[in-house]
Amino acid sequence: MRSVVLFYLCFLLCLCLGVACVVCVSLWNTRWRGGFAWNGSALQFNWHPVLMTTGLVVLYGYGAVLYRVPLTWGQNKLPWKLLHASLMLLAFILSVVGLCAVFDFHNAKNTPNLYSLHSWIGISAVALFALQWVGGMAGFLLPWTPVSFRKLLKPTHVWFGGSILTLSIAACISGINEKLFFVLKGNTSASYGQLPPEALLANSLGVLIVAFGLVVLKILSNPKWQRPDSRPENTAYSPLLQEDNE
């Protein structure tokens, strides 16, 4: 009972931190960066941090911990698999749109793409995310996939899940720092070193993202919070319920 209570406290903290991340990144780009547009201007770039934080970090983290919720245990696993896959697909779509926003902005301004460490980490995270989603779909949702292959794939799938989240957090943190250096550079009245309100909010966003990631990784790493192996015999989805115990 104590373990379940602790889980729900961590899960609630995860939900709150995720919402706080989305609110902070949206506030930053609305209040200090001027809002949003899709016209090749800096307002189009503002979609990039919002969509990447929302998709590649928050929704991805929510999807990763979905199986750990005790209320889902003992139930038919297929609906939760589909919800997990759908959340991850939505996270991936938002991430791709976020990449399109920054690529279009760079192309409109004749700025080189993929020149910074931030961009290398971010594009790597999205590429691995794509492979992870396709591999998960093929390995765990297709009814004809052999159980032996699922058991072989599961440890790799879990490891890549945590690794992609870690890369996503690193990309977001480096991106926030890079953006602050660009927009506050040469601003004598509000330089980054003086920690103006914009820098304070953006730095707080970075701390929230790190905290969110740590809570998600804590949930994923606790063996007591893993979904028990359940194989209902009277379910209509028996071909898919040769459990992989994700």
Side-chain angles (χ1 to χ4, degrees), residues 1-11 70 73 218 222 224-225:
M1 187 56 153
R2 181 173 177 270
S3 179
V4 173
V5 172
L6 287 175
F7 169 83
Y8 278 113
L9 288 175
C10 285
F11 185 67
W73 297 354
K218 169 62 179 176
N222 192 330
K224 294 182 180 179
W225 296 342

XYZ file of all heavy atoms in Angstrom, residues 1-11 70 73 218 222 224-225:
156
model
N 0.834 -1.206 0.000
C 0.000 0.000 0.000
C 0.873 1.261 0.000
O 0.590 2.216 -0.716
C -0.910 -0.013 1.230
C -1.926 1.104 1.227
S -2.936 1.102 -0.254
C -4.404 1.867 0.332
N 1.929 1.225 0.801
C 2.835 2.378 0.868
C 3.470 2.635 -0.494
O 3.632 3.790 -0.900
C 3.910 2.119 1.922
C 4.897 3.251 2.103
C 5.805 2.963 3.297
N 6.813 4.009 3.434
C 7.997 3.974 2.846
N 8.318 2.953 2.068
N 8.876 4.948 3.032
N 3.829 1.554 -1.197
C 4.441 1.697 -2.516
C 3.481 2.342 -3.506
O 3.877 3.183 -4.327
C 4.888 0.330 -3.038
O 5.460 0.444 -4.321
N 2.201 1.960 -3.442
C 1.194 2.532 -4.348
C 0.989 4.012 -4.054
O 0.886 4.835 -4.973
C -0.135 1.754 -4.223
C -1.233 2.451 -5.017
C 0.042 0.319 -4.695
N 0.945 4.367 -2.773
C 0.782 5.781 -2.396
C 1.963 6.601 -2.898
O 1.792 7.699 -3.453
C 0.626 5.911 -0.869
C 0.668 7.381 -0.461
C -0.673 5.271 -0.408
N 3.168 6.071 -2.714
C 4.357 6.769 -3.188
C 4.331 6.926 -4.703
O 4.732 7.966 -5.237
C 5.615 6.017 -2.756
C 5.983 6.106 -1.270
C 7.178 5.224 -0.974
C 6.264 7.553 -0.876
N 3.850 5.882 -5.386
C 3.754 5.992 -6.844
C 2.838 7.143 -7.240
O 3.190 7.960 -8.096
C 3.227 4.698 -7.465
C 2.870 4.877 -8.924
C 3.853 4.803 -9.895
C 1.572 5.187 -9.312
C 3.544 5.027 -11.242
C 1.247 5.402 -10.648
C 2.242 5.318 -11.614
N 1.657 7.191 -6.636
C 0.703 8.225 -7.040
C 1.201 9.621 -6.684
O 0.889 10.587 -7.387
C -0.676 7.948 -6.434
C -1.459 6.935 -7.235
C -1.768 5.686 -6.713
C -1.862 7.216 -8.540
C -2.477 4.750 -7.459
C -2.559 6.286 -9.289
C -2.869 5.057 -8.746
O -3.557 4.132 -9.492
N 1.971 9.732 -5.615
C 2.571 11.030 -5.307
C 3.565 11.432 -6.398
O 3.568 12.579 -6.851
C 3.267 10.972 -3.941
C 2.353 10.903 -2.714
C 3.177 10.728 -1.441
C 1.475 12.157 -2.623
N 4.393 10.477 -6.816
C 5.345 10.752 -7.904
C 4.620 11.022 -9.212
O 5.007 11.907 -9.980
C 6.315 9.582 -8.069
S 7.581 9.475 -6.797
N 3.565 10.263 -9.464
C 2.807 10.436 -10.694
C 2.138 11.808 -10.727
O 2.147 12.489 -11.772
C 1.764 9.325 -10.812
C 1.000 9.336 -12.111
C 1.635 9.059 -13.303
C -0.358 9.613 -12.129
C 0.941 9.064 -14.500
C -1.064 9.621 -13.310
C -0.411 9.341 -14.511
N -1.111 1.869 -11.434
C -1.704 0.625 -10.912
C -3.137 0.390 -11.364
O -3.569 -0.762 -11.445
C -1.628 0.828 -9.390
C -0.478 1.744 -9.188
C -0.509 2.682 -10.358
N -3.438 -2.084 -14.130
C -3.001 -3.454 -13.930
C -4.210 -4.395 -13.849
O -5.266 -4.044 -13.343
C -2.198 -3.585 -12.641
C -0.937 -2.781 -12.640
C -0.418 -2.075 -13.679
C -0.053 -2.584 -11.534
N 0.742 -1.452 -13.303
C 1.000 -1.747 -11.991
C -0.031 -3.029 -10.218
C 2.036 -1.353 -11.161
C 1.007 -2.641 -9.395
C 2.030 -1.818 -9.861
N 12.662 8.188 -12.367
C 12.460 7.518 -11.078
C 11.311 6.516 -11.174
O 11.421 5.373 -10.697
C 12.177 8.565 -9.995
C 11.684 7.999 -8.671
C 12.706 7.085 -8.030
C 12.200 6.552 -6.686
N 13.141 5.570 -6.087
N 11.911 2.157 -10.899
C 11.499 1.449 -9.691
C 10.839 0.121 -10.069
O 9.751 0.110 -10.648
C 10.516 2.302 -8.881
C 10.294 1.743 -7.486
O 10.380 0.541 -7.269
N 10.000 2.618 -6.541
N 9.279 -1.995 -8.334
C 8.001 -2.228 -7.651
C 6.835 -1.583 -8.394
O 5.679 -1.924 -8.137
C 8.060 -1.675 -6.227
C 9.048 -2.398 -5.325
C 9.019 -1.815 -3.926
C 10.004 -2.534 -3.003
N 9.996 -1.953 -1.630
N 7.142 -0.641 -9.287
C 6.089 0.062 -10.001
C 5.926 -0.433 -11.432
O 5.216 0.185 -12.230
C 6.371 1.569 -10.011
C 6.340 2.169 -8.644
C 5.775 1.624 -7.514
C 6.891 3.427 -8.235
N 5.938 2.458 -6.447
C 6.616 3.571 -6.854
C 7.570 4.441 -8.897
C 7.015 4.697 -6.130
C 7.971 5.561 -8.187
C 7.694 5.686 -6.815
